[in-house]
């Protein structure tokens, strides 16, 4: 006697197979040519095949409902019914374009055309895709949550605590709000941009906002969840039920952290999947020409590495360094040599150069680079790019990216100066490995650009020599009219005003590395929130964690502001010199009655000390690189893991464990 579920499964297979077989038989009998009557019969048979398929699918769905009703006492069946019915209802609302056969057959509309045009897909396709995305992310989250609970099946105290935290997070309102925001906002976000804008800008904006908002929501959820889970258990004395078992306090904290990280891993994967899916949907939308489409595929949805120019003659750069140092030393001898050296004596000048601090050398090198990236009128400069063999291996054109910051007028004639400044373009000549670029035959074509704007020029791989070297010569002259060349200096930004970009990886791999960095950063916030919750109430712990989060994403700006607020010790000073400098300044201000100036010193020291223990998320921010098609290297991922995930998070975890292990819980909670 066959079991009931076997009979049900056989009937389901028969219904599906019968419908598919009948439809296939009808399609096989459709005539491919003939008179008008034969063509009309072909359309009728095609429509009959479609109707047969839909009837078989409807019958299979009804039979699935019957099976779900018979075994409704099983939890797995109830969840299956939820997913199944939700998908069908969504399909009926949106009218997703799922059909068999062409919409037109022999020039006449077929049944599949009418079956595919209804609901939101016809009038509001963006809304239909957004709702489908919300439902898909919901299913992904629920299935992932079930997988996490299965993997964290109790068997070890740490896993049991982690699974309990995951269940607690789903019941916690504050965590559930952020989860719902992630599931709802991300699928709607792609359709909020103006379709009249360039497709490149829309794709870049979506990647930035999708990962930016997703990271923000996850960071806030992590902070509130980590701070609340321990503080609530301490306040309600639920922690006694756990710690009375053979569970150490270190295991307790580790289990809490593992549960948060497992939940974050699921949500980071959901954000990454939604970002990738809707980026591809945006990519398929209408563009503003071939150049716009090319920019999306070659400048955004790629992973490009960059090469900075190097001088061909290192000795020339060294001579330039010595000349610049001599000029700066003669202008400020007290600053660069203490006034004890004679700049006319080469030995004294070399001795003064040997006494330069790293900060002073950096200042001089900045001036040298600015001179090197400046091309005087009617002169030329050569910049070398090396290591381009990898670019040749990928077989895609490289991109020359540059920006001319300003035009430095080199004339005293007011009329000519005004004419130059009114000119909205800059003209110069360009040679790549001895060949004029762009190559338009025997004519020397100039390059015309708009100043103070980035420009990207695609360069064929044929210009790169066999050693992977590209020598770029820039002529500050109008090639077509040399005598009319204006006396203007060309200046490139020394940091990112001149570089060569080339593809080294795919957008998907770049996105994966970006998600890994975000997950590691969330790990630091989780352990800090847990550590704060071990000795602070929820409100104070959350406030402290939020302050640390703000400092971590704006650390560079805060350090710069502290430097302006309280005058720091001279660059290159060691710890003892900094202490002496600050103590002397504090005492001097007090003696002179400058109380506020004296208070600035300890406030600045406190700010410096606080920022020292907080990692800088801005230094490891992958979102701008991903949106700009820049490579997020494994080196960046490993540095984030080391400094943020191991050193900073490990330090906070040890502090939290040390405080928690010495806390008398019963005495505190009585």
């Amino acid at each position: 006697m066959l079991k009931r579920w076997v009979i049900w499964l056989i009937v389901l297979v028969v219904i599906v197979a019968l419908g598919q077989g009948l439809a296939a038989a009808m399609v096989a009998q459709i005539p491919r040519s003939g008179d008008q009557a034969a063509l009309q019969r072909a359309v009728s048979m095609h429509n009959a095949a479609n109707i047969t398929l839909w009837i078989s699918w409807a019958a299979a769905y009804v039979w699935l409902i019957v099976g779900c009703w018979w075994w409704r006492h099983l939890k797995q069946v109830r969840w299956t019914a939820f997913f199944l019915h939700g998908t069908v209802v969504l399909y009926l609302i949106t009218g997703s374009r799922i059909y068999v056969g062409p919409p037109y057959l022999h020039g006449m509309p077929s049944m599949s055309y009418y079956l595919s045009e209804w609901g939101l897909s016809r009038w509001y396709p963006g809304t239909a895709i957004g709702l489908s995305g919300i439902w898909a992310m919901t299913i992904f989250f629920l299935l992932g949550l079930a997988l996490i609970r299965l993997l964290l099946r109790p068997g070890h105290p740490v896993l049991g605590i982690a699974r309990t935290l995951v269940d607690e997070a789903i019941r916690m309102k504050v965590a559930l709000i952020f989860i719902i925001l992630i599931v709802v906002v991300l699928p709607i976000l792609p359709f909020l941009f103006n379709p009249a804008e360039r497709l490149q800008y829309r794709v870049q904006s979506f990647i930035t906002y999708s990962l930016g908002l997703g990271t923000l929501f996850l960071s806030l959820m992590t902070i509130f969840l980590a701070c609340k889970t321990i503080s609530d258990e301490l306040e309600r004395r639920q922690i006694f039920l756990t710690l009375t078992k053979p569970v150490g306090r270190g295991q307790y904290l580790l289990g809490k952290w593992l549960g948060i990280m497992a939940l974050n891993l699921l949500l980071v994967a959901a954000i990454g999947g939604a970002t990738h899916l809707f980026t591809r949907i945006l990519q398929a939308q209408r563009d503003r020409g071939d150049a716009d489409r090319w920019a999306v595929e070659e400048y955004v949805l790629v992973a490009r590495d960059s090469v900075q120019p190097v001088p061909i003659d290192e000795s020339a750069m060294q001579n330039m360094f010595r000349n610049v140092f001599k000029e700066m030393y003669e202008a400020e001898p007290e600053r660069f040599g203490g006034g004890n050296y004679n700049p006319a004596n080469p030995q004294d000048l070399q001795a003064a150069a040997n006494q330069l601090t790293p900060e002073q050398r950096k200042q001089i090198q900045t001036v040298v680079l600015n001179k090197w990236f400046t091309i005087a009128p009617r002169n030329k400069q050569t910049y070398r790019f090396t290591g381009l063999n990898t670019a040749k291996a990928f077989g895609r054109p490289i991109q020359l990216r540059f920006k001319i910051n300003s035009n430095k007028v080199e004339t005293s004639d007011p009329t000519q100066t005004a004419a130059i400044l009114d000119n909205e373009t800059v003209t110069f000549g360009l040679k790549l490995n001895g060949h004029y670029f762009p190559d338009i035959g025997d004519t020397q074509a100039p390059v015309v650009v708009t100043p103070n704007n980035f420009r990207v020029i695609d360069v064929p791989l044929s210009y790169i020599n066999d050693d992977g070297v590209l020598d770029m010569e820039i002529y500050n002259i109008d090639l077509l009219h040399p005598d009319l060349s204006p006396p203007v200096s060309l200046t490139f930004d020394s940091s990112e005003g001149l570089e060569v970009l080339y593809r080294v990886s795919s957008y998907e791999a770049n996105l994966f590395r970006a998600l890994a960095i975000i997950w590691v950063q969330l790990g630091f916030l989780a352990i800090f929130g847990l550590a704060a919750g071990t000795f602070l109430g929820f409100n104070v712990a959350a406030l402290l964690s939020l302050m640390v989060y703000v400092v971590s994403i704006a650390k560079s700006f805060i350090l710069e502001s502290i430097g302006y607020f309280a005058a720091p010790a001279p660059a290159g000073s060691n710890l003892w010199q900094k202490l002496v400098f600050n103590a002397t300044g504090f005492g001097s201000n007090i003696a002179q009655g400058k109380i506020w100036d004296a208070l600035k010193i300890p406030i600045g020291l406190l700010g410096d000390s606080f920022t020292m223990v907080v990692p800088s998320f801005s230094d490891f921010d992958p979102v701008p690189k991903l949106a700009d098609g820049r490579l997020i290297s494994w080196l960046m991922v490993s540095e984030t893991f080391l400094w943020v995930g191991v050193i900073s998070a490990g330090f906070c975890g040890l502090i939290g464990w040390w405080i928690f292990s010495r806390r008398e819980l019963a005495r505190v909670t009585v």
Side-chain angles (χ1 to χ4, degrees), residues 275-350:
T275 301
H276 178 264
L277 175 63
F278 287 104
T279 298
R280 295 302 182 184
I281 292 176
L282 274 176
Q283 183 187 5
Q285 291 185 355
R286 181 177 298 176
D287 52 58
R288 295 183 60 183
D290 294 339
D292 190 18
R293 176 68 58 182
W294 174 266
V296 172
E297 296 176 354
E298 297 296 331
Y299 301 162
V300 181
L301 300 183
V302 292
R304 302 173 296 169
D305 202 356
S306 64
V307 176
Q308 302 296 326
V310 296
I312 296 179
D313 187 2
E314 288 289 345
S315 61
M317 295 295 291
Q318 295 174 0
N319 292 332
M320 189 182 298
F321 182 89
R322 285 192 291 266
N323 293 333
V324 170
F325 169 64
K326 183 178 179 180
E327 294 174 0
M328 299 178 70
Y329 177 76
E330 291 176 346
E332 299 180 89
E334 296 291 339
R335 180 181 179 185
F336 291 96
N340 298 322
Y341 302 101
N342 180 12
N345 188 342
Q347 295 181 352
D348 286 358
L349 192 64
Q350 184 62 39

Side-chain angles (χ1 to χ4, degrees), residues 581-591 594-595 597-599 601-602:
F581 176 85
N582 288 310
T584 304
F586 181 80
S588 176
N589 288 323
I590 291 292
K594 300 178 180 179
I595 305 301
D597 291 338
L599 291 177
I601 295 177

Side-chain angles (χ1 to χ4, degrees), residues 275-504:
T275 301
H276 178 264
L277 175 63
F278 287 104
T279 298
R280 295 302 182 184
I281 292 176
L282 274 176
Q283 183 187 5
Q285 291 185 355
R286 181 177 298 176
D287 52 58
R288 295 183 60 183
D290 294 339
D292 190 18
R293 176 68 58 182
W294 174 266
V296 172
E297 296 176 354
E298 297 296 331
Y299 301 162
V300 181
L301 300 183
V302 292
R304 302 173 296 169
D305 202 356
S306 64
V307 176
Q308 302 296 326
V310 296
I312 296 179
D313 187 2
E314 288 289 345
S315 61
M317 295 295 291
Q318 295 174 0
N319 292 332
M320 189 182 298
F321 182 89
R322 285 192 291 266
N323 293 333
V324 170
F325 169 64
K326 183 178 179 180
E327 294 174 0
M328 299 178 70
Y329 177 76
E330 291 176 346
E332 299 180 89
E334 296 291 339
R335 180 181 179 185
F336 291 96
N340 298 322
Y341 302 101
N342 180 12
N345 188 342
Q347 295 181 352
D348 286 358
L349 192 64
Q350 184 62 39
N354 295 335
Q355 299 296 324
L356 292 174
T357 64
E359 184 66 24
Q360 290 173 337
R361 287 188 175 275
K362 184 178 179 181
Q363 294 175 0
I364 298 174
Q365 288 171 353
T366 301
V367 177
V368 172
L369 285 177
N370 289 335
K371 286 181 173 291
W372 187 54
F373 280 106
T374 299
I375 307 174
R378 299 181 180 275
N379 284 334
K380 73 171 185 176
Q381 186 65 271
T382 303
Y383 304 98
R384 171 166 290 181
F385 299 91
T386 60
L388 297 178
N389 289 320
T390 305
K392 299 182 70 174
F394 272 83
R396 305 294 296 177
I398 62 175
Q399 292 126 28
L400 176 61
R401 183 176 183 266
F402 60 91
K403 180 177 73 170
I404 299 178
N405 289 334
S406 61
N407 294 336
K408 182 180 179 183
V409 180
E410 300 286 349
T411 179
S412 59
D413 186 354
T415 306
Q416 192 176 19
T417 299
I420 293 171
L421 293 178
D422 290 340
N423 190 8
E424 297 181 354
T425 60
V426 174
T427 303
F428 59 90
L430 181 61
K431 263 188 177 182
L432 301 178
N433 276 342
H435 302 281
Y436 281 103
F437 185 86
D439 185 6
I440 56 175
D442 298 331
T443 306
Q444 299 176 356
V447 179
V448 182
V449 298
T450 304
N452 302 314
N453 288 296
F454 279 105
R455 173 75 180 273
V456 180
I457 299 178
D458 293 318
V459 178
L461 296 177
S462 58
Y463 284 91
I464 304 175
N465 64 22
D466 296 336
D467 297 327
V469 176
L470 179 67
D471 288 337
M472 184 179 69
E473 299 177 66
I474 298 180
Y475 294 82
N476 188 3
I477 190 173
D478 190 338
L479 296 177
L480 298 180
H481 308 285
D483 296 335
L484 300 179
S485 300
V488 176
S489 295
L490 302 182
T491 302
F492 298 93
D493 187 272
S494 59
S495 58
E496 58 178 6
L498 184 59
E499 60 182 340
V500 166
L501 300 169
Y502 59 95
R503 178 183 294 194
V504 293

Side-chain angles (χ1 to χ4, degrees), residues 152-168:
L152 297 178
R153 181 179 300 173
H156 190 278
V158 173
L159 298 181
I161 294 172
R163 176 170 173 167
T164 303
L165 185 135
V166 173
D167 295 337
E168 177 187 357

